[in-house]
């Protein structure tokens, strides 16, 4: 049985994935203030690092410690994420809504999959002063 982290890393790729004819990358998070802006910035970092194929930076600066540790048990967080990113054609991500409750947050993000805009919910937590991705789920 595959650990939940593999499913989580697959969801990470799905959160940014699509099948377009040409790879593309954009991120949009304008209009947020305070902690919501910091959450949106973390998601922009995810999109930027993903489009650069930078699994190491995603592991270091985007994922929370629990997810990162679980992926490291599979060999290497960076390798797992890099392999997932190789399946992604479209890194478009638009942050639609952010809800911050103390040290946790959820964000509604729009991505493109098979040329269709889809919305997903990303959960984050405040860890060592930075917002870190915990999970991604379909809406």
């Amino acid at each position: 049985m595959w650990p939940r982290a593999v499913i989580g890393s697959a969801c990470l790729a799905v959160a940014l994935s699509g099948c377009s004819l040409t790879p593309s990358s954009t991120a949009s998070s304008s209009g947020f203030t305070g902690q919501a802006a910091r959450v949106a910035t973390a998601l922009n970092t995810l999109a930027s690092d993903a489009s650069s194929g930078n699994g190491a930076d995603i592991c270091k600066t985007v994922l929370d410690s629990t997810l990162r540790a679980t992926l490291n048990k599979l060999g290497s967080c960076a390798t797992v994420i890099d392999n997932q990113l190789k399946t992604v054609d479209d890194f478009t991500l638009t942050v639609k809504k952010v809800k911050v409750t103390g040290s946790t947050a959820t964000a509604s993000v729009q991505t493109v999959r098979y040329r269709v805009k889809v919305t997903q919910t990303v959960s984050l937590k405040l860890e060592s002063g930075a917002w870190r991705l915990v999970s991604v789920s379909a809406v």
Side-chain angles (χ1 to χ4, degrees):
M1 183 169 132
W2 288 96
R4 295 179 90 176
V6 171
I7 295 168
S9 66
C11 288
L12 172 66
V14 167
L16 295 171
S17 71
C19 273
S20 62
L21 295 176
T22 57
S24 66
S25 170
T26 62
S28 173
S29 63
S30 62
F32 296 101
T33 60
Q35 288 298 319
R38 292 184 63 212
V39 168
T41 298
L43 294 169
N44 279 341
T45 300
L46 169 62
S48 175
D49 287 347
S51 68
S52 299
N54 198 338
D57 273 357
I58 290 173
C59 291
K60 183 179 177 182
T61 63
V62 176
L63 303 183
D64 85 306
S65 59
T66 302
L67 181 54
R68 189 172 51 249
T70 304
L71 291 174
N72 279 327
K73 288 180 184 176
L74 298 173
S76 163
C77 177
T79 300
V80 172
I81 296 300
D82 283 340
N83 288 336
Q84 291 294 318
L85 293 175
K86 290 175 186 174
T87 68
V88 178
D89 290 331
D90 191 323
F91 296 93
T92 303
L93 182 144
T94 303
V95 181
K96 297 300 227 177
K97 181 171 46 171
V98 175
K99 180 181 179 187
V100 176
T101 307
S103 63
T104 63
T106 55
S108 176
V109 298
Q110 187 177 70
T111 60
V112 177
R113 190 175 321 139
Y114 302 104
R115 296 189 200 182
V116 176
K117 293 179 181 178
V118 295
T119 302
Q120 295 180 291
T121 300
V122 179
S123 297
L124 302 98
K125 73 176 182 179
L126 195 56
E127 181 178 273
S128 301
W131 287 100
R132 306 293 179 144
L133 187 131
V134 175
S135 67
V136 178
S137 60
V139 173

